[in-house]
Amino acid sequence: MAKPFYRYEDVPLLLASEGQEPVMVFANRASISASQPLEAKKFVEDYSISFADVFEDVEFKGVEVKDFLLGPPGGGPGMKIPSSVELIKSGQKIAYPNGQALYVEEDAHAGDYHIKVRSTGDTFLDIETDVPYGEIDVLRTYAAQGEIRGRLNITYYMNTGNIHSFADLTGLMDPTIYPQVNETKITGSLGDYKFNDAYLTEMSFSAEPFQVIETNIDLDIYGKMEYVEGWSESVFDNYPCVRENQLTVPHAMNTKIYGANSVGIQYPLSFSYSIYANQIPEIPVPISGYADDDGELPVRVAKNEVDITIDLEGEKLDPFLKITGQRADVTISLSDIGFDENFTDNNFGKLKEFKLAGNLVLPDAVPEELEQYGVVDQDALSVSEGGFLRGRASVRQAYR
């Protein structure tokens, strides 16, 4: 029986940082994929076919099969098919400069010294101008250039404006952590697919007037992605504790941007905020070339650098960028719509602040030396027919 298609509402998405309880993510889009960088091995002699054990012109009468040692003609040393060739298939054509051809009689593999060929009619090959220059198409061997890596992309609404631990890139959710960076893995599932070794690489969100604010996160997944039939139903039936009520979501209506005037924008129209981490896995290579059924698991995934970027769009810009970098301090304060308190949803007002210094959740004030921690690296000004003159500025901070 064919597996049915699942509806959106029947595909739960669970995420949890290591040691934390799972959270059912209020997502409106999610996609998961896997890839591996592969490169074909290529040697100059891959396409060349030459017979070593011949000392004169080669002739075939009608349909005839012969076995030859591979290598330079005239008694040259035998040469094996290179490791870059996975297979030379039976029936493959060997073309020669004189326009004639032979055909491979049996499959030949990397490491073989002999090849069996067949003619389809009378065939003559000159030992000097034809025999050394046989050309054939082969199936190549491909070598992995890196680890197998899954990719999980999620667009979701931050419930009550909070950043769950799975979306924390800076490690500052725990004020006692040292060093001040979070390298713990994330476990979770999407529908019936479970994974145990995921690492957050990017979190971003943007806002435009009168729009709900969506958050995007990207995660790299290593190791085995396991399919467990019926897991989705099990989540709904047996894990009611992970299902949270949606109380409020960030909305652009009352969300505020502080510090936009430091980049010359007095009236911001829209913005985007992103945190990106360059995650580098450390994976031991097994001597056998094969680890186990769990796949290639990193012993550590290190954050080599973490960058925070804020893009602002408004009515103008400050064109005077300094050669040493124009400093700026921009803070984004997320709020919901702010309904009347008699409503149970979307009436919390201010939710969470995002700062360039990466101080995502700690209530402490940013130290004075960090008040202008970002640098303006791009300014732009544009206008088009039917529109208004508007500026765009990008503020970036190399957090780590």
Side-chain angles (χ1 to χ4, degrees):
M1 180 178 177
K3 186 177 183 297
F5 290 100
Y6 285 102
R7 298 176 302 174
Y8 158 78
E9 56 268 27
D10 295 330
V11 184
L13 172 61
L14 297 183
L15 291 177
S17 293
E18 193 171 22
Q20 302 278 337
E21 291 296 321
V23 175
M24 184 177 289
V25 182
F26 182 35
N28 57 0
R29 285 188 298 272
S31 64
I32 196 167
S33 62
S35 62
Q36 182 179 34
L38 298 172
E39 187 172 321
K41 290 185 176 181
K42 293 182 181 181
F43 297 134
V44 175
E45 64 270 23
D46 288 347
Y47 296 106
S48 300
I49 290 288
S50 179
F51 306 142
D53 51 351
V54 296
F55 300 88
E56 57 186 17
D57 299 337
V58 177
E59 291 189 66
F60 289 81
K61 299 295 184 181
V63 177
E64 190 175 357
V65 176
K66 294 184 179 181
D67 185 280
F68 291 98
L69 174 68
L70 296 171
M79 299 180 65
K80 62 183 178 180
I81 298 174
S83 60
S84 56
V85 175
E86 180 177 340
L87 175 68
I88 300 177
K89 298 183 68 174
S90 172
Q92 192 68 49
K93 176 183 176 181
I94 305 174
Y96 290 94
N98 65 1
Q100 295 187 301
L102 297 174
Y103 296 87
V104 178
E105 178 67 12
E106 296 177 356
D107 289 349
H109 302 82
D112 290 350
Y113 282 88
H114 287 262
I115 191 168
K116 190 174 290 187
V117 297
R118 169 176 50 85
S119 63
T120 56
D122 292 346
T123 305
F124 176 84
L125 302 177
D126 186 276
I127 191 172
E128 294 185 356
T129 60
D130 295 317
V131 174
Y133 305 109
E135 188 174 284
I136 190 170
D137 289 330
V138 300
L139 292 179
R140 293 192 174 278
T141 298
Y142 289 81
Q145 301 300 303
E147 70 284 343
I148 300 174
R149 184 179 302 194
R151 189 75 168 176
L152 177 61
N153 175 264
I154 303 168
T155 301
Y156 76 108
Y157 301 104
M158 289 185 286
N159 189 19
T160 67
N162 291 325
I163 300 181
H164 291 292
S165 58
F166 62 76
D168 176 40
L169 264 173
T170 64
L172 295 180
M173 294 188 76
D174 180 0
T176 65
I177 194 172
Y178 183 86
Q180 291 281 288
V181 65
N182 179 16
E183 292 182 352
T184 58
K185 67 180 182 179
I186 297 170
T187 62
S189 64
L190 175 63
D192 288 344
Y193 292 88
K194 301 174 68 175
F195 49 86
N196 295 311
D197 294 88
Y199 295 84
L200 181 66
T201 60
E202 184 172 8
M203 185 201 73
S204 63
F205 57 87
S206 59
E208 295 182 355
F210 311 110
Q211 299 293 322
V212 174
I213 297 176
E214 296 179 337
T215 302
N216 295 281
I217 59 174
D218 291 323
L219 300 100
D220 287 339
I221 302 175
Y222 303 94
K224 181 171 64 174
M225 198 184 311
E226 184 180 7
Y227 174 73
V228 181
E229 187 173 1
W231 174 251
S232 296
E233 290 84 353
S234 175
V235 169
F236 289 124
D237 295 340
N238 302 322
Y239 295 89
C241 59
V242 303
R243 303 181 66 174
E244 299 180 348
N245 293 325
Q246 182 64 36
L247 299 178
T248 187
V249 294
H251 196 282
M253 179 178 292
N254 290 319
T255 290
K256 294 178 173 58
I257 304 171
Y258 300 102
N261 57 345
S262 64
V263 294
I265 295 179
Q266 301 297 326
Y267 301 100
L269 297 176
S270 62
F271 71 86
S272 64
Y273 183 101
S274 67
I275 307 179
Y276 170 78
N278 182 19
Q279 304 267 30
I280 306 296
E282 298 178 12
I283 300 176
V285 179
I287 297 176
S288 65
Y290 177 78
D292 53 41
D293 292 335
D294 288 332
E296 300 165 338
L297 292 176
V299 294
R300 179 192 177 193
V301 178
K303 288 185 174 73
N304 276 22
E305 58 262 345
V306 179
D307 290 329
I308 301 175
T309 302
I310 296 180
D311 289 324
L312 301 171
E313 192 173 74
E315 90 295 354
K316 64 175 183 178
L317 80 165
D318 182 358
F320 301 107
L321 295 181
K322 300 176 182 178
I323 195 170
T324 56
Q326 177 178 327
R327 294 288 179 171
D329 175 29
V330 180
T331 299
I332 294 172
S333 179
L334 294 183
S335 296
D336 59 19
I337 294 177
F339 280 151
D340 186 273
E341 292 184 359
N342 292 326
F343 287 87
T344 58
D345 297 336
N346 292 316
N347 65 352
F348 285 87
K350 180 180 175 180
L351 301 175
K352 195 64 59 180
E353 284 190 349
F354 290 80
K355 301 176 183 293
L356 271 173
N359 188 0
L360 299 185
V361 296
L362 287 181
D364 300 335
V366 179
E368 182 178 352
E369 62 270 20
L370 299 182
E371 284 185 356
Q372 292 189 335
Y373 208 62
V375 63
V376 182
D377 65 354
Q378 183 180 0
D379 270 343
L381 198 63
S382 63
V383 66
S384 59
E385 182 180 3
F388 300 92
L389 184 68
R390 58 174 59 185
R392 183 181 180 87
S394 178
V395 185
R396 181 172 59 88
Q397 177 218 346
Y399 173 75
R400 183 172 283 269

